[in-house]
Amino acid sequence: MPNNTWRVVDLLDWTSQYFEKNAIPNPRLDAEVLLGHLLGKSRLQLYLDFEMPVFQEHLTPFRELIKKRIDRTPISYLTNRKEFMSLEFYVDERVLIPRPETEQLVETVLTAQTDKPQRLLEIGTGSGVIATILATHQPEWDITATDLSEDALVVAEKNAETHNCAAQIEFLSGDLFEPIKAIDPNGETPFNWIVCNPPYVKKTEWDSLSPDVRNYEPEIALFAGNDGLAVIRRLIAEAPAYLASNGKLSLEIGDTQADTVRTLVNAESAYCSCELIKDYAEKERIVLASVP
Ligand SMILES: C[S@@+](CC[C@H](N)C(=O)[O-])C[C@H]1O[C@@H](n2cnc3c(N)ncnc32)[C@H](O)[C@@H]1O
């Protein structure tokens, strides 16, 4: 970036051209989000302050952010923010950046008819977005959220505290149902819901992922064996032992996994129904399996 006097408009123009030259997707948007983040302004405010000069104290860190974006650090890790269902969440490299598709998983739970407070288990909570949104919408529900990654749980708890629902969510670390088995070995307090957005990418797809994803997001949050089904398979097999009567297992799955997952659920005699729900792009992405 040349040394001269920079206004907001000049910085946005220069940065978006530089991002474009370096094949960064959404170059203008990224330039606006990064500059807005640094100056503490919304994108609209940046436009209102187009002529405002930007001084060295901001130019130096802005150069650093540009460099990191050119190295393909995801924008959300640079700003430590991601919006999910209209709430803002803290994110960093310890957790997967929540995706818009996952909102459909939360909607599936929220729109189901229930007449009494539910006990819900979220496995693989990551940044805690699913458990936190459910807690804010259903303050009477009893929610447990787990993750194999202790680092992720630190982020999840921070987000639950920010949204004033930490007291409603019990956070536990461990592999799938292990932490539940440890506190309730006889299954005396089963769950009405088990919800999970599991890792479901095939190990063999590593090369085809964008560098933003494969070089920065936690591997443990993305990959699930050579067929991408290693975690889903275990969840489908093990969940019935932890579900109450009429309980439901709801999972997000990859956009090519619907047929295989339907077959896996139908092969488990513990389930009495299996519904596949489409996302906004008309792909079957949410599984809803019920026990009698
Ligand atoms: C796809 S991310 C989902 C994160 C968050 N729930 C969301 O939807 O944005 C999967 C999460 O599952 C966790 N995970 C992976 N394998 C696990 C296992 N065997 N037991 C518990 N959690 C696991 C990862 O650490 C990661 O946080």
Side-chain angles (χ1 to χ4, degrees), residues 44-61:
L44 174 65
Q45 282 170 323
L46 282 184
Y47 275 80
L48 297 174
D49 290 339
F50 244 20
E51 302 290 331
M52 191 184 85
V54 179
F55 299 108
Q56 205 56 47
E57 63 173 301
H58 287 123
L59 288 177
T60 307

Side-chain angles (χ1 to χ4, degrees), residues 84 94-99 102 105 122-130 146-149 152 174-177 196-200 218 220-223 231 234 252:
F84 185 83
R94 291 173 289 182
V95 294
L96 183 99
I97 299 166
R99 307 295 203 265
T102 305
L105 178 61
E122 191 214 346
I123 291 184
T125 194
S127 59
V129 285
I130 296 175
T146 74
D147 207 292
L148 189 51
S149 157
D175 180 27
L176 296 197
F177 295 97
C196 182
N197 172 19
Y200 50 70
I220 191 182
L222 297 170
F223 298 105
V231 176
R234 287 178 58 205
E252 178 175 322

Side-chain angles (χ1 to χ4, degrees), residues 92-166:
D92 64 27
E93 292 178 28
R94 291 173 289 182
V95 294
L96 183 99
I97 299 166
R99 307 295 203 265
E101 305 88 273
T102 305
E103 296 189 356
Q104 184 85 43
L105 178 61
V106 179
E107 296 285 0
T108 300
V109 179
L110 289 176
T111 53
Q113 300 294 326
T114 51
D115 52 0
K116 55 179 179 39
Q118 303 284 287
R119 264 178 60 72
L120 180 141
L121 168 64
E122 191 214 346
I123 291 184
T125 194
S127 59
V129 285
I130 296 175
T132 298
I133 290 285
L134 290 170
T136 57
H137 280 72
Q138 297 289 357
E140 301 298 315
W141 288 18
D142 177 354
I143 298 178
T144 303
T146 74
D147 207 292
L148 189 51
S149 157
E150 305 234 357
D151 281 348
L153 285 172
V154 175
V155 176
E157 290 192 52
K158 176 183 168 79
N159 280 318
E161 271 159 30
T162 302
H163 296 294
N164 300 315
C165 54

Side-chain angles (χ1 to χ4, degrees), residues 205-246:
E205 281 172 350
W206 194 87
D207 277 341
S208 64
L209 296 180
S210 96
D212 300 37
V213 176
R214 70 166 185 245
N215 295 341
Y216 292 94
E217 297 204 73
E219 265 190 46
I220 191 182
L222 297 170
F223 298 105
N226 286 336
D227 66 357
L229 291 163
V231 176
I232 291 176
R233 210 178 268 118
R234 287 178 58 205
L235 284 165
I236 290 171
E238 295 175 34
Y242 300 88
L243 282 170
S245 159
N246 293 319

